[in-house]
Amino acid sequence: MAVYSLDELIEIFIQWEEDLTKFYKILSGHLKDDEALNVVRVLARDQDKILAAVKSINLDDAESFEYNKSLPNFRSTHLLSDVEVSDSSSALDILEKVMDYEEQLLELYRHLAEFVTYEQSRELMTMLRDMKLGQIKKIKSCMDSYT
């Protein structure tokens, strides 16, 4: 278990969201399937918006030092480390991989929303959770169209 300030958590969130942004760029350069490429482009645009929102978070001094205890060690967590995608991966394959990652992020944001004390911090976690929910709904909708 670890202890984090809210500032540290935001930095970790930014890294995770940047990892997903990089993942989409890598996919765009390697996928051969046109449908998969189109799906990745749509999700990448949405991801750019989410990343910008997370990077724009500005906490006041009191809240930036809010500490959260008994959390897993997020510093060493790389949620995309086990993802394997080939040139011939289908759109559905890609969506399933991305869905796993997004669901992990959603659970982390939900978990943290329960632990923060300040109202603004809670609102921040709720905003992040809601953005992830929106992204997951889009991914599920895309997945439904391929099954």
Side-chain angles (χ1 to χ4, degrees), residues 49-61:
K49 293 174 190 171
I50 291 171
L51 180 58
V54 175
K55 283 184 171 183
S56 72
I57 294 170
N58 187 12
L59 302 169
D60 66 29
D61 289 339

Side-chain angles (χ1 to χ4, degrees), residues 80-111:
L80 280 170
S81 60
D82 297 334
V83 174
E84 292 183 25
V85 178
S86 71
D87 290 354
S88 61
S89 292
S90 70
L92 188 57
D93 293 336
I94 302 300
L95 290 167
E96 287 171 351
K97 305 273 192 250
V98 172
M99 177 64 91
D100 290 343
Y101 184 80
E102 292 284 9
E103 286 177 333
Q104 289 179 65
L105 284 174
L106 175 62
E107 285 309 308
L108 293 171
Y109 292 152
R110 279 183 176 158
H111 180 75

